[in-house]
Each structure stands twice: as structure tokens, then as C-alpha cells.
């Protein structure tokens, strides 16, 4: 089921976070090679509804997430993601967005 969750996140990122895909792929590198299907209808709906961009959301709603995006440090070892892998000591009790630099 994890695959399906990552797949859905990737589809969402392609539509709503297209200017931030580099950050999404740092967190979910396995999504880079997933086939996401045709997203034409989703893009059309995004434009039709005049949805706010992720940049707008970061600037106006979630300032903490905006700060975190430039301090992301990943503990999960993945050769595809080696250069964004955190090389600092592992903080106790953390496992998702594991550590802020």
C-alpha cells in the first residue's frame, strides 16, 4: 500500500507542486520513475478552479514548511538520493522528515 500512497503524492505534486518537484523527489525518490498516467484532466480542473499555487500556500499559510524546505536532511539511505542524504548523527525519536540542519 505504500506504493499507492507515494503514487498518489506524486500525482498531486505534478499538478500542485510542479515548481517544487525537486524537493518532492528528495523526500520520495522512488516516485521519480513511477508512471503517473494522464494528468490532463487534473491540470484542467486545477486551472478551471483557479487553485492557488504551492508558492502561494508557502508564502501565506505554512511559513514553517517553507523554512523546512531549505533545511531538509534525509536519513533514509538511497543511492539515487545520496547527495541529499543527511550525514549528521541520527536524532533520537525521528523517522519521517528526520532532521533539520
Amino acid at each position: 500500500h505504500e506504493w499507492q500512497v507515494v503514487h498518489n503524492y506524486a500525482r498531486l505534486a505534478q499538478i500542485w507542486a510542479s515548481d517544487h518537484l525537486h524537493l518532492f523527489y528528495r523526500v520520495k525518490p522512488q516516485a521519480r520513475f513511477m508512471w503517473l498516467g494522464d494528468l490532463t484532466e487534473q491540470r484542467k480542473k486545477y486551472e478551471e478552479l483557479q487553485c492557488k499555487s504551492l508558492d502561494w500556500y508557502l508564502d501565506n499559510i505554512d511559513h514553517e514548511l517553507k523554512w523546512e524546505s531549505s533545511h531538509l536532511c534525509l536519513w533514509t539511505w538511497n543511492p539515487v538520493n545520496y547527495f541529499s542524504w543527511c550525514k549528521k548523527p541520527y536524532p533520537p525519536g525521528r523517522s519521517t522528515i528526520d532532521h533539520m540542519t
Side-chain angles (χ1 to χ4, degrees):
H1 294 110
E2 180 185 345
W3 176 90
Q4 187 64 53
V5 171
V6 173
H7 182 262
N8 290 340
Y9 285 158
R11 288 174 56 87
L12 175 65
Q14 287 291 324
I15 303 301
W16 190 57
S18 59
D19 292 340
H20 299 276
L21 287 175
H22 64 288
L23 296 173
F24 173 73
Y25 290 130
R26 282 180 68 189
V27 176
K28 299 292 182 193
Q30 68 273 34
R32 184 178 302 275
F33 304 107
M34 287 182 167
W35 182 77
L36 303 177
D38 183 6
L39 299 173
T40 304
E41 288 299 314
Q42 289 82 358
R43 284 188 181 97
K44 182 178 172 184
K45 185 61 78 172
Y46 176 85
E47 292 170 11
E48 180 183 302
L49 295 173
Q50 299 179 355
C51 296
K52 301 284 187 187
S53 68
L54 180 57
D55 282 327
W56 181 91
Y57 177 79
L58 294 173
D59 289 340
N60 295 283
I61 306 297
D62 197 340
H63 304 277
E64 184 175 335
L65 182 60
K66 184 175 185 174
W67 178 87
E68 288 174 354
S69 69
S70 63
H71 295 80
L72 196 58
C73 188
L74 303 172
W75 290 97
T76 307
W77 168 246
N78 183 324
V80 173
N81 208 24
Y82 177 75
F83 293 105
S84 56
W85 182 53
C86 191
K87 297 167 181 72
K88 296 181 179 191
Y90 188 81
R94 299 299 305 263
S95 65
T96 305
I97 292 185
D98 299 300
H99 184 67
M100 299 296 156
T101 58

